[in-house]
Amino acid sequence: MAPLFTGIAKNLGGLGFGRLGVSQVVFNSISVVLWGAGGGGSQQDPLYGGGSGGFVSATVPYATYSGETFYIVVGGGGVGGSRPNIPAKTGGFGGGGPSGAGAYENGSGGGASYIRLTNGSGTVLLVAGAGSGGNGYSTGPSATSGPPTTVFLKAGGRGGGPAGEGAAMYDFPGGVGAGGGTQVAGGRAGDGKPPGPPGTAGSFLQGGTGGSAPGGGAGGGGGGGYYGGGGGGASDPTRVAQNGGGGSGYVNPTWTAITNSYSPNPYTAYPHPLAVPGIARGANNTFAGYNGEPGYIVITLEGPSPVSYTYPYTGAAETLVIP
């Protein structure tokens, strides 16, 4: 955690303003912005890649959480696929779903960025969903067996919003692709193209696992989220694998949501003045190792002398005591 201090608060650091009895430091609200991580991609053409991480912006009265401890997780980017995709690729920190294993590549899902109260099992406050691993086809906000309908047909499902982006089933009429996570359930498991097996469904804060096929294409891992996206199914030896679904975003009802959305496209982070380079993008074949970019969080205590705390990806959970 790298705190950015302004005004009088810069001399107080993270020492706990209440314990010092400094009455002139006054806060009226807490503002938070979060980006989920991007999914891993592949060595295919630039359109075959992981989905981007979602974005959440929200605010709450300061008094609501004064004295509470925020448990902070910044999602890790999904791991890019290899050829052969053995072993399966580990999902990004923060609940990214692993890819399957197979003769042909697919990436793992990125991890969600989120804040809970107190510890890893406390009340969930805010979640920015993550993008899925990609090397197949995606479409729309939910699973579908129809033809792809978005311009980013070959990228993994984007994370974020009330429902993450689902995947279309490629070259298997009647099959159904992996679903995006929603507000109440993980995304459905994506069907495999026979004899390739299906992936697994997403779950609370966890993306599903891609299907494995020793001689075929590995399924992409689902993106982490409030509910994770489903894992993509494996393919037959025709090589075209199925993408996972993106994870959903979430804003606890105690907060006022400003934005809960996915990025405009898989290869850019959601635009915001506090964004920094190297976050939230799904990876294509122009990325080193085809690895997705990590998430990012900024927490600001608003008032006459605001205090901001920035949280880049570290691979470990952190805590912040709200003074």
Side-chain angles (χ1 to χ4, degrees):
M1 178 270 293
L4 301 176
F5 301 105
T6 59
I8 189 172
K10 71 179 180 181
N11 298 314
L12 304 178
L15 300 178
F17 307 135
R19 293 196 300 274
L20 292 175
V22 182
S23 60
Q24 58 266 54
V25 178
V26 177
F27 303 112
N28 50 45
S29 64
I30 304 170
S31 298
V32 181
V33 292
L34 311 89
W35 284 264
S42 78
Q43 62 183 296
Q44 298 280 5
D45 69 63
L47 296 180
Y48 282 95
S52 53
F55 176 75
V56 164
S57 174
T59 186
V60 69
Y62 172 75
T64 306
Y65 292 108
S66 179
E68 298 281 4
T69 299
F70 283 1
Y71 178 89
I72 299 159
V73 170
V74 178
V79 178
S82 62
R83 187 175 297 180
N85 211 63
I86 299 171
K89 309 310 177 190
T90 303
F93 178 72
S99 74
Y104 302 100
E105 70 272 28
N106 212 327
S108 66
S113 295
Y114 60 86
I115 298 175
R116 304 182 76 156
L117 280 182
T118 308
N119 54 46
S121 60
T123 301
V124 177
L125 303 181
L126 303 167
V127 182
S132 75
N135 183 21
Y137 281 72
S138 68
T139 182
S142 60
T144 176
S145 59
T149 57
T150 72
V151 66
F152 305 107
L153 304 183
K154 300 177 182 178
R158 291 171 286 177
E165 187 173 51
M169 194 71 195
Y170 177 73
D171 195 29
F172 178 35
V176 180
T182 70
Q183 297 299 287
V184 297
R188 77 177 305 279
D191 292 342
K193 181 180 180 183
T200 67
S203 58
F204 181 64
L205 295 178
Q206 178 63 53
T209 299
S212 294
Y226 182 55
Y227 280 93
S235 77
D236 64 9
T238 58
R239 299 172 32 179
V240 177
Q242 312 298 337
N243 287 342
S248 61
Y250 173 76
V251 177
N252 186 282
T254 58
W255 293 69
T256 299
I258 300 171
T259 305
N260 178 13
S261 181
Y262 50 78
S263 172
N265 77 65
Y267 309 124
T268 62
Y270 191 95
H272 188 274
L274 295 179
V276 297
I279 61 170
R281 295 188 301 166
N284 59 22
N285 69 352
T286 67
F287 286 60
Y290 323 122
N291 297 325
E293 292 180 337
Y296 186 64
I297 296 177
V298 181
I299 300 172
T300 302
L301 309 182
E302 305 283 5
S305 295
V307 178
S308 290
Y309 299 85
T310 63
Y311 291 87
Y313 172 69
T314 65
E318 301 186 61
T319 58
L320 173 66
V321 178
I322 304 300

mmCIF file of all heavy atoms in Angstrom, residues 104-127:
data_model
loop_
_atom_site.group_PDB
_atom_site.id
_atom_site.type_symbol
_atom_site.label_atom_id
_atom_site.label_comp_id
_atom_site.label_asym_id
_atom_site.label_seq_id
_atom_site.Cartn_x
_atom_site.Cartn_y
_atom_site.Cartn_z
ATOM 1 N N TYR A 104 -3.505 -27.357 -27.096
ATOM 2 C CA TYR A 104 -3.554 -25.985 -27.597
ATOM 3 C C TYR A 104 -3.978 -25.038 -26.485
ATOM 4 O O TYR A 104 -4.724 -25.396 -25.579
ATOM 5 C CB TYR A 104 -4.498 -25.898 -28.799
ATOM 6 C CG TYR A 104 -4.070 -26.830 -29.895
ATOM 7 C CD1 TYR A 104 -4.699 -28.059 -30.076
ATOM 8 C CD2 TYR A 104 -2.994 -26.515 -30.714
ATOM 9 C CE1 TYR A 104 -4.271 -28.933 -31.063
ATOM 10 C CE2 TYR A 104 -2.558 -27.382 -31.703
ATOM 11 C CZ TYR A 104 -3.203 -28.592 -31.882
ATOM 12 O OH TYR A 104 -2.778 -29.461 -32.852
ATOM 13 N N GLU A 105 -3.518 -23.792 -26.608
ATOM 14 C CA GLU A 105 -3.498 -22.881 -25.475
ATOM 15 C C GLU A 105 -4.819 -22.192 -25.168
ATOM 16 O O GLU A 105 -5.677 -22.030 -26.030
ATOM 17 C CB GLU A 105 -2.432 -21.801 -25.713
ATOM 18 C CG GLU A 105 -2.772 -20.805 -26.810
ATOM 19 C CD GLU A 105 -2.316 -21.259 -28.182
ATOM 20 O OE1 GLU A 105 -2.221 -22.468 -28.438
ATOM 21 O OE2 GLU A 105 -2.084 -20.389 -29.024
ATOM 22 N N ASN A 106 -4.919 -21.772 -23.904
ATOM 23 C CA ASN A 106 -5.936 -20.827 -23.455
ATOM 24 C C ASN A 106 -5.454 -20.244 -22.134
ATOM 25 O O ASN A 106 -4.731 -20.901 -21.382
ATOM 26 C CB ASN A 106 -7.302 -21.490 -23.280
ATOM 27 C CG ASN A 106 -8.432 -20.517 -23.584
ATOM 28 O OD1 ASN A 106 -8.307 -19.318 -23.332
ATOM 29 N ND2 ASN A 106 -9.526 -21.022 -24.133
ATOM 30 N N GLY A 107 -5.845 -19.013 -21.854
ATOM 31 C CA GLY A 107 -5.390 -18.337 -20.654
ATOM 32 C C GLY A 107 -6.279 -18.612 -19.450
ATOM 33 O O GLY A 107 -7.413 -19.077 -19.566
ATOM 34 N N SER A 108 -5.749 -18.298 -18.273
ATOM 35 C CA SER A 108 -6.536 -18.402 -17.049
ATOM 36 C C SER A 108 -7.243 -17.075 -16.775
ATOM 37 O O SER A 108 -6.928 -16.032 -17.352
ATOM 38 C CB SER A 108 -5.646 -18.785 -15.869
ATOM 39 O OG SER A 108 -4.711 -17.762 -15.569
ATOM 40 N N GLY A 109 -8.212 -17.123 -15.864
ATOM 41 C CA GLY A 109 -8.977 -15.936 -15.534
ATOM 42 C C GLY A 109 -8.217 -15.001 -14.605
ATOM 43 O O GLY A 109 -7.395 -15.424 -13.787
ATOM 44 N N GLY A 110 -8.471 -13.701 -14.747
ATOM 45 C CA GLY A 110 -7.909 -12.729 -13.826
ATOM 46 C C GLY A 110 -8.630 -12.767 -12.487
ATOM 47 O O GLY A 110 -9.720 -13.326 -12.362
ATOM 48 N N GLY A 111 -8.011 -12.179 -11.482
ATOM 49 C CA GLY A 111 -8.597 -12.137 -10.157
ATOM 50 C C GLY A 111 -9.372 -10.855 -9.911
ATOM 51 O O GLY A 111 -9.014 -9.782 -10.417
ATOM 52 N N ALA A 112 -10.443 -10.954 -9.135
ATOM 53 C CA ALA A 112 -11.236 -9.785 -8.779
ATOM 54 C C ALA A 112 -10.479 -8.924 -7.774
ATOM 55 O O ALA A 112 -9.668 -9.402 -6.987
ATOM 56 C CB ALA A 112 -12.570 -10.217 -8.176
ATOM 57 N N SER A 113 -10.750 -7.628 -7.797
ATOM 58 C CA SER A 113 -10.290 -6.712 -6.749
ATOM 59 C C SER A 113 -11.480 -6.422 -5.851
ATOM 60 O O SER A 113 -12.570 -6.095 -6.345
ATOM 61 C CB SER A 113 -9.761 -5.418 -7.366
ATOM 62 O OG SER A 113 -8.605 -5.641 -8.141
ATOM 63 N N TYR A 114 -11.274 -6.532 -4.538
ATOM 64 C CA TYR A 114 -12.421 -6.350 -3.653
ATOM 65 C C TYR A 114 -12.010 -5.883 -2.267
ATOM 66 O O TYR A 114 -10.842 -5.978 -1.868
ATOM 67 C CB TYR A 114 -13.268 -7.619 -3.577
ATOM 68 C CG TYR A 114 -12.585 -8.864 -3.074
ATOM 69 C CD1 TYR A 114 -12.495 -9.156 -1.710
ATOM 70 C CD2 TYR A 114 -12.051 -9.792 -3.962
ATOM 71 C CE1 TYR A 114 -11.897 -10.320 -1.252
ATOM 72 C CE2 TYR A 114 -11.447 -10.954 -3.524
ATOM 73 C CZ TYR A 114 -11.377 -11.217 -2.168
ATOM 74 O OH TYR A 114 -10.776 -12.375 -1.728
ATOM 75 N N ILE A 115 -13.005 -5.378 -1.528
ATOM 76 C CA ILE A 115 -12.825 -4.933 -0.151
ATOM 77 C C ILE A 115 -13.891 -5.606 0.709
ATOM 78 O O ILE A 115 -15.082 -5.578 0.373
ATOM 79 C CB ILE A 115 -12.943 -3.403 -0.042
ATOM 80 C CG1 ILE A 115 -11.839 -2.724 -0.859
ATOM 81 C CG2 ILE A 115 -12.853 -2.957 1.426
ATOM 82 C CD1 ILE A 115 -11.950 -1.213 -0.916
ATOM 83 N N ARG A 116 -13.443 -6.215 1.812
ATOM 84 C CA ARG A 116 -14.340 -6.796 2.798
ATOM 85 C C ARG A 116 -14.070 -6.129 4.139
ATOM 86 O O ARG A 116 -13.039 -5.460 4.324
ATOM 87 C CB ARG A 116 -14.109 -8.300 2.931
ATOM 88 C CG ARG A 116 -14.226 -9.064 1.637
ATOM 89 C CD ARG A 116 -14.038 -10.561 1.826
ATOM 90 N NE ARG A 116 -15.227 -11.166 2.413
ATOM 91 C CZ ARG A 116 -15.559 -12.445 2.290
ATOM 92 N NH1 ARG A 116 -14.801 -13.261 1.600
ATOM 93 N NH2 ARG A 116 -16.657 -12.913 2.841
ATOM 94 N N LEU A 117 -14.949 -6.340 5.078
ATOM 95 C CA LEU A 117 -14.721 -5.856 6.428
ATOM 96 C C LEU A 117 -13.894 -6.846 7.229
ATOM 97 O O LEU A 117 -14.107 -8.064 7.143
ATOM 98 C CB LEU A 117 -16.044 -5.619 7.159
ATOM 99 C CG LEU A 117 -16.787 -4.322 6.859
ATOM 100 C CD1 LEU A 117 -18.049 -4.239 7.701
ATOM 101 C CD2 LEU A 117 -15.898 -3.101 7.141
ATOM 102 N N THR A 118 -12.951 -6.353 7.974
ATOM 103 C CA THR A 118 -12.219 -7.060 9.023
ATOM 104 C C THR A 118 -11.233 -8.110 8.522
ATOM 105 O O THR A 118 -10.051 -8.054 8.826
ATOM 106 C CB THR A 118 -13.178 -7.717 10.037
ATOM 107 O OG1 THR A 118 -14.092 -6.717 10.499
ATOM 108 C CG2 THR A 118 -12.411 -8.291 11.209
ATOM 109 N N ASN A 119 -11.706 -9.085 7.744
ATOM 110 C CA ASN A 119 -10.821 -10.183 7.353
ATOM 111 C C ASN A 119 -11.365 -10.826 6.087
ATOM 112 O O ASN A 119 -12.310 -10.337 5.471
ATOM 113 C CB ASN A 119 -10.702 -11.208 8.479
ATOM 114 C CG ASN A 119 -12.062 -11.724 8.948
ATOM 115 O OD1 ASN A 119 -12.910 -12.056 8.127
ATOM 116 N ND2 ASN A 119 -12.271 -11.789 10.252
ATOM 117 N N GLY A 120 -10.762 -11.960 5.728
ATOM 118 C CA GLY A 120 -11.151 -12.612 4.487
ATOM 119 C C GLY A 120 -12.523 -13.219 4.473
ATOM 120 O O GLY A 120 -12.999 -13.658 3.422
ATOM 121 N N SER A 121 -13.211 -13.243 5.617
ATOM 122 C CA SER A 121 -14.566 -13.790 5.647
ATOM 123 C C SER A 121 -15.596 -12.752 6.082
ATOM 124 O O SER A 121 -16.741 -13.093 6.343
ATOM 125 C CB SER A 121 -14.629 -15.005 6.597
ATOM 126 O OG SER A 121 -14.259 -14.628 7.911
ATOM 127 N N GLY A 122 -15.199 -11.486 6.168
ATOM 128 C CA GLY A 122 -16.118 -10.441 6.590
ATOM 129 C C GLY A 122 -17.066 -10.010 5.482
ATOM 130 O O GLY A 122 -16.999 -10.483 4.339
ATOM 131 N N THR A 123 -17.952 -9.084 5.820
ATOM 132 C CA THR A 123 -18.946 -8.575 4.872
ATOM 133 C C THR A 123 -18.271 -8.001 3.632
ATOM 134 O O THR A 123 -17.316 -7.227 3.723
ATOM 135 C CB THR A 123 -19.787 -7.473 5.539
ATOM 136 O OG1 THR A 123 -20.427 -8.007 6.682
ATOM 137 C CG2 THR A 123 -20.824 -6.918 4.572
ATOM 138 N N VAL A 124 -18.764 -8.396 2.460
ATOM 139 C CA VAL A 124 -18.230 -7.879 1.207
ATOM 140 C C VAL A 124 -18.809 -6.489 0.958
ATOM 141 O O VAL A 124 -20.027 -6.287 0.990
ATOM 142 C CB VAL A 124 -18.575 -8.814 0.036
ATOM 143 C CG1 VAL A 124 -18.079 -8.220 -1.278
ATOM 144 C CG2 VAL A 124 -17.976 -10.192 0.255
ATOM 145 N N LEU A 125 -17.927 -5.535 0.693
ATOM 146 C CA LEU A 125 -18.360 -4.156 0.451
ATOM 147 C C LEU A 125 -18.365 -3.806 -1.031
ATOM 148 O O LEU A 125 -19.361 -3.303 -1.544
ATOM 149 C CB LEU A 125 -17.451 -3.184 1.220
ATOM 150 C CG LEU A 125 -17.368 -3.386 2.735
ATOM 151 C CD1 LEU A 125 -16.455 -2.330 3.347
ATOM 152 C CD2 LEU A 125 -18.756 -3.354 3.369
ATOM 153 N N LEU A 126 -17.259 -4.045 -1.709
ATOM 154 C CA LEU A 126 -17.122 -3.641 -3.111
ATOM 155 C C LEU A 126 -16.316 -4.696 -3.860
ATOM 156 O O LEU A 126 -15.327 -5.217 -3.329
ATOM 157 C CB LEU A 126 -16.400 -2.289 -3.220
ATOM 158 C CG LEU A 126 -17.015 -1.105 -2.486
ATOM 159 C CD1 LEU A 126 -16.022 0.057 -2.439
ATOM 160 C CD2 LEU A 126 -18.307 -0.671 -3.144
ATOM 161 N N VAL A 127 -16.719 -4.977 -5.101
ATOM 162 C CA VAL A 127 -15.999 -5.934 -5.937
ATOM 163 C C VAL A 127 -15.953 -5.415 -7.371
ATOM 164 O O VAL A 127 -16.985 -5.032 -7.935
ATOM 165 C CB VAL A 127 -16.669 -7.327 -5.950
ATOM 166 C CG1 VAL A 127 -15.852 -8.307 -6.799
ATOM 167 C CG2 VAL A 127 -16.865 -7.868 -4.553
#
